Amino acid sequence: MNMKSNESGRRFNRFKAGMRRIFTFKRKYLAIPYFVFLLLFVVIPIVIILLYAFTATNEAGNLYLSGEAFVNFFSSPSKLNVLLVSLYIGVLNTLICLLIGYPIAYLLADKKVNKNYVMVVLFIMPMWINFVLRTGATRDLLNLLGLKGGEHPYVATMIGMVYNYLPFTILPLYTTMIKLDKAQIEASRDLGCNKFQTFTKAILPQSVPGIISAAEMVFMPTMSSYVISGTLSEGKLTLFGNSIAASFENNMWNDGSFMALIMLILIFVTMFLTSRFGEKEEERKVGLW
């Protein structure tokens, strides 16, 4: 009986080891679709952008290394002006969305004010509507109010930007604020802090991750947007995204690719700075405790 039980035990252990190898094998290859997607839609497009950004085409149609697109961009006052205007619009839109979205997200996360998720859904519902349709409806509404894009391009564009990107500000702020440590807020009040001190010392530091996420989701999409500025300003305001689109539409692949590369660099720099700021904030919180 002991021999049979030992043999059964060994068989069971071999079976278990075999099943473990099978499941380990499967888990290892579950990442294949992700890597294929990454290769097809991230790596290869970036390589193509780099290829066109630093090459040119001769009369025979052959590519050769060239810095022509680099020179064309940095020697063109109009292109540099478009970049500066886009940075200004991106920063301004981010600040306005944060100023409007922060108190809204705080109220939505406060269960004393909002006891259900209906209000949250109402604020993020515009995200469910087609982007172009939202922009067209905004243009028609502004025309009715007398704010035509041809006459007020900056005002009309900023209204459209804030309307379209405000939900992208509220959602990450809301998801951060519903996780606020209420004990810290109550402790600050018990220790004699007024409302402003409670906000700056207990609420605002905890909501920094949501602010960073909201800024990332608004700033770069604003710069690269071309539908909103093109539609609402009636072509009077050109952003960086409009310049890239116009370059490709006019078969200026090298110039368009170099500007797209500039946009990628700005995205990486923004992500690096915000991640570093987030790390410092976490270190500061740890230091406080």
Side-chain angles (χ1 to χ4, degrees):
M1 291 291 293
N2 290 334
M3 292 179 63
K4 289 183 177 180
S5 61
N6 290 337
E7 182 64 24
S8 298
R10 284 194 293 270
R11 287 179 180 176
F12 178 74
N13 289 333
R14 285 197 298 269
F15 172 77
K16 189 164 63 172
M19 292 300 293
R20 190 180 295 114
R21 283 196 296 271
I22 291 172
F23 283 113
T24 303
F25 174 83
K26 287 186 176 180
R27 284 202 301 270
K28 189 185 300 183
Y29 288 95
L30 285 175
I32 288 178
Y34 169 75
F35 285 113
V36 171
F37 177 86
L38 193 68
L39 179 66
L40 292 176
F41 299 104
V42 178
V43 177
I44 292 177
I46 290 177
V47 171
I48 294 174
I49 287 173
L50 287 169
L51 178 66
Y52 276 100
F54 295 103
T55 59
T57 308
N58 57 23
E59 295 180 357
N62 299 320
L63 291 176
Y64 63 94
L65 287 175
S66 173
E68 185 179 347
F70 177 89
V71 174
N72 289 342
F73 180 80
F74 286 104
S75 62
S76 173
S78 60
K79 291 181 180 179
L80 292 174
N81 182 65
V82 168
L83 177 59
L84 292 176
V85 170
S86 301
L87 287 169
Y88 169 73
I89 295 293
V91 171
L92 183 61
N93 187 40
T94 303
L95 291 176
I96 293 174
C97 286
L98 286 173
L99 288 174
I100 298 174
Y102 193 95
I104 292 174
Y106 182 74
L107 291 174
L108 292 175
D110 189 351
K111 293 184 179 180
K112 294 180 181 179
V113 179
N114 180 36
K115 296 183 179 180
N116 54 53
Y117 295 102
V118 175
M119 291 296 295
V120 180
V121 173
L122 289 176
F123 275 100
I124 65 174
M125 273 184 67
M127 297 170 62
W128 302 348
I129 305 171
N130 182 274
F131 191 80
V132 178
L133 290 177
R134 293 204 310 266
T135 305
T138 305
R139 177 195 58 199
D140 294 341
L141 179 61
L142 291 177
N143 288 340
L144 288 174
L145 296 175
L147 292 173
K148 294 183 178 181
E151 300 172 0
H152 309 280
Y154 280 90
V155 175
T157 300
M158 286 308 306
I159 291 174
M161 291 289 187
V162 172
Y163 167 67
N164 279 279
Y165 290 109
L166 186 60
F168 294 95
T169 308
I170 294 174
L171 191 57
L173 286 170
Y174 170 77
T175 56
T176 299
M177 289 181 179
I178 57 176
K179 301 174 185 176
L180 291 178
D181 187 355
K182 305 299 182 184
Q184 287 190 39
I185 300 173
E186 293 174 0
S188 67
R189 292 169 181 166
D190 293 338
L191 291 172
C193 292
N194 56 35
K195 291 183 178 180
F196 180 76
Q197 291 173 327
T198 299
F199 172 75
T200 56
K201 296 181 181 298
I203 298 174
L204 186 61
Q206 294 187 70
S207 59
V208 165
I211 294 174
I212 293 174
S213 298
E216 288 180 343
M217 295 180 70
V218 173
F219 177 67
M220 292 312 301
T222 299
M223 281 193 62
S224 59
S225 173
Y226 62 93
V227 173
I228 297 175
S229 57
T231 303
L232 296 183
S233 71
E234 297 179 5
K236 297 292 181 64
L237 178 62
T238 302
L239 297 184
F240 209 58
N242 299 96
S243 294
I244 296 173
S247 296
F248 286 121
E249 288 172 359
N250 295 321
N251 293 323
M252 300 168 63
W253 297 94
N254 305 103
D255 291 340
S257 296
F258 186 80
M259 286 189 286
L261 182 61
I262 295 292
M263 181 66 68
L264 285 174
I265 293 172
L266 288 173
I267 291 173
F268 286 131
V269 170
T270 304
M271 292 177 64
F272 175 77
L273 293 176
T274 52
S275 64
R276 293 292 297 171
F277 182 79
E279 289 174 3
K280 289 182 180 179
E281 188 64 27
E282 289 297 325
E283 292 174 1
R284 191 185 71 82
K285 288 181 183 178
V286 172
L288 288 175
W289 286 102

